[in-house]
């Protein structure tokens, strides 16, 4: 079997497979190229207009030839288009990396390419050999304690989590009947992106947003902007120590995958102490299939390794969630996938 190369000639068998290996080996270069461009503000500076490499270098205070080379690499990555020699504009994908556009993914790109997150990945082999959380090995502290001491990075993390939640927030409210509850408690809910979407779609329930002081830092602004200040109570605390009473639905989105089974069971047990017997637990997480589907490109498997490296958690299968709920005093009653492109599932459980 042969494939066609750039010059139209037939490429030898195995060429595409070899190219795939090279692309994977060069993956760290892509990460660094993206992170550098976002931190320099390349996409905002170019915006929707055409910009020369020399002009951009003058604005950024960077070396002109090196800047041109960076822009060419970004064009190769489909983030820019070179419209004339040395002149560039952003693509639709590149526009998502502008902080000034709706649906921006800039904070997430900055966060996940930040050198502090990359350092733990440098020791992935050690993590695989030992099961250790290598972020802790590098920095001598856990990820969330590290953020607590760095308010700017913590704010960036909160923004990245808010951006990452927007897709789920657009789908979750219409795929679950929140209107039958009186109070929704969003445990570890950050700035309230998901809770806000739920309450705007369902006028009956009130909300309690529960997180650390750092996690809640941007919540007042979010809730005021969405006109929900009077419907949501903010409560700061530690979900390893307690959960706030008063809800009949307790919501956990992208919390469980941050922790190992023992710590997750602790969170669930605290919720079980305060949820009424007629109440409900709703977990919003990806659910891995029992085996990896052939040909899948699901990034949840890379997220699973990131949980190992950075925070010590993991992604889970339906069987894992069933066992975890049982440890925490709940009985899993259903798993509903959200429509694509979401990778999240609604995992519903009742007090056991």
């Amino acid at each position: 079997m042969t494939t066609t190369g750039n010059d139209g000639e037939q490429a030898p068998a195995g060429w595409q497979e070899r190219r795939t290996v090279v692309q994977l080996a060069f993956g760290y270069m892509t990460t660094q190229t993206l992170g550098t461009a976002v931190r320099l503000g390349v996409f905002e500076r170019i915006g929707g207009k055409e910009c020369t490499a020399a002009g951009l270098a003058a604005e950024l205070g960077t070396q002109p030839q090196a800047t041109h080379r960076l822009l060419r690499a970004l064009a190769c990555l489909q983030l820019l288009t070179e419209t004339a020699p040395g002149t560039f504009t952003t693509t639709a994908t590149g526009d998502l990396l502008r902080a000034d556009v709706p649906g921006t993914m800039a904070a997430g790109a900055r966060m996940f390419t930040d050198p502090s997150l990359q350092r733990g990945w440098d020791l992935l082999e050690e993590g695989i050999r030992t099961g250790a959380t290598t972020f802790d090995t590098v920095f001598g502290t856990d990820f969330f304690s590290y953020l607590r001491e760095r308010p700017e990075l913590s704010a960036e993390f909160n923004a990245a989590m808010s951006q990452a939640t927007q897709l789920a927030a657009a789908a979750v409210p219409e795929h679950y009947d929140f209107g039958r509850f009186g109070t929704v408690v969003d445990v570890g809910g950050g700035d309230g992106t998901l809770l806000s979407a739920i309450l705007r779609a369902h006028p009956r329930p009130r909300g309690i947003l529960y997180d650390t002081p750092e996690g809640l830092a941007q919540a007042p602004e979010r809730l005021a902007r969405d006109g929900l200040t009077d419907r949501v109570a903010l409560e700061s605390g530690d979900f390893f120590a307690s959960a706030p009473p008063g809800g009949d639905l307790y919501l956990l989105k992208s919390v469980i995958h941050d922790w190992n089974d023992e710590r997750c069971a602790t969170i669930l047990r605290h919720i079980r102490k305060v949820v009424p017997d007629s109440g409900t637990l709703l977990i919003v997480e990806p659910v891995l299939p029992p085996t990896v589907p052939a040909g899948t490109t699901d990034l949840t498997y890379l997220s699973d390794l990131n949980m190992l490296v950075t925070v010590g958690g993991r992604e889970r299968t339906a069987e894992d969630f069933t066992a975890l709920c049982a440890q925490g005093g709940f009985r899993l009653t259903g798993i509903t996938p959200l429509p694509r492109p979401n990778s999240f599932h609604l995992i519903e459980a009742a007090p056991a």
Side-chain angles (χ1 to χ4, degrees):
M1 178 180 178
T2 58
T3 55
T4 302
N6 290 337
D7 56 5
E9 295 183 359
Q10 295 297 307
W15 173 82
Q16 187 59 54
E17 290 79 4
R18 294 176 67 86
R19 179 179 176 82
T20 298
V21 171
V22 172
Q23 287 177 324
L24 292 172
F26 277 29
Y28 79 98
M29 300 181 194
T30 299
T31 299
Q32 294 300 325
T33 299
L34 173 62
T36 296
V38 170
R39 285 189 288 275
L40 285 173
V42 166
F43 301 99
E44 286 93 353
R45 296 277 187 168
I46 296 177
K49 63 183 184 300
E50 290 188 335
C51 184
T52 65
L56 183 64
E59 286 189 51
L60 298 176
T62 52
Q63 203 276 336
Q65 186 188 74
T67 302
H68 189 191
R69 294 164 71 177
L70 173 64
L71 299 183
R72 287 189 309 197
L74 293 170
C76 177
L77 296 173
Q78 313 301 310
L79 300 174
L80 300 179
T81 298
E82 190 168 16
T83 57
T87 301
F88 298 84
T89 188
T90 53
T91 64
T93 304
D95 281 336
L96 291 174
L97 296 165
R98 294 168 51 189
D100 58 345
V101 299
T104 176
M105 299 176 72
R110 276 194 301 272
M111 190 69 207
F112 285 102
T113 62
D114 189 88
S116 60
L117 266 74
Q118 295 301 306
R119 291 278 302 280
W121 276 88
D122 290 341
L123 299 181
L124 176 61
E125 181 180 343
E126 177 181 327
I128 298 300
R129 291 183 183 279
T130 65
T133 304
T134 54
F135 183 96
D136 298 14
T137 302
V138 172
F139 293 102
T141 188
D142 67 273
F143 176 70
F144 292 105
S145 295
Y146 183 89
L147 287 183
R148 196 174 301 120
E149 298 300 318
R150 294 161 178 82
E152 288 187 8
L153 189 61
S154 181
E156 193 76 80
F157 175 78
N158 291 345
M161 295 304 98
S162 177
Q163 289 177 10
T165 298
Q166 287 173 2
L167 188 63
V172 168
E174 62 183 84
H175 286 87
Y176 191 77
D177 181 15
F178 292 94
R180 59 195 168 100
F181 298 102
T183 301
V184 178
V185 182
D186 191 351
V187 177
D191 74 345
T193 296
L194 180 57
L195 182 60
S196 177
I198 290 168
L199 296 184
R200 282 185 285 122
H202 298 271
R204 178 176 179 264
R206 300 182 63 81
I208 296 174
L209 190 59
Y210 183 67
D211 211 321
T212 63
E214 297 80 20
L216 292 174
Q218 284 76 40
E221 180 183 352
R222 157 76 63 184
L223 297 173
R225 187 167 64 246
D226 292 343
L228 292 168
T229 300
D230 293 338
R231 286 180 65 194
V232 179
L234 301 181
E235 294 195 27
S236 63
D238 177 2
F239 49 44
F240 292 118
S242 65
D248 49 352
L249 174 66
Y250 282 76
L251 177 66
L252 288 164
K253 184 208 168 282
S254 299
V255 170
I256 294 299
H257 75 166
D258 283 340
W259 310 101
N260 62 31
D261 287 355
E262 181 181 354
R263 305 209 79 186
C264 287
T266 297
I267 297 170
L268 296 183
R269 289 188 193 109
H270 287 309
I271 293 174
R272 181 63 189 94
K273 288 179 182 178
V274 294
V275 68
D277 290 342
S278 59
T280 300
L281 171 70
L282 187 65
I283 299 170
V284 184
E285 297 265 358
V287 177
L288 294 175
T291 59
V292 180
T296 186
T297 57
D298 191 343
L299 296 179
T300 305
Y301 294 98
L302 289 178
S303 174
D304 186 35
L305 284 180
N306 190 50
M307 295 302 105
L308 168 67
V309 164
T310 308
V311 292
R314 65 188 181 102
E315 307 292 355
R316 291 175 170 86
T317 65
E319 183 180 357
D320 293 329
F321 279 111
T322 299
L324 190 60
C325 285
Q327 289 180 54
F330 289 88
R331 172 176 51 86
L332 194 147
T333 57
I335 296 179
T336 305
L338 292 177
R340 291 293 182 183
N342 261 293
S343 61
F344 291 102
H345 291 62
L346 302 179
I347 304 157
E348 189 176 40

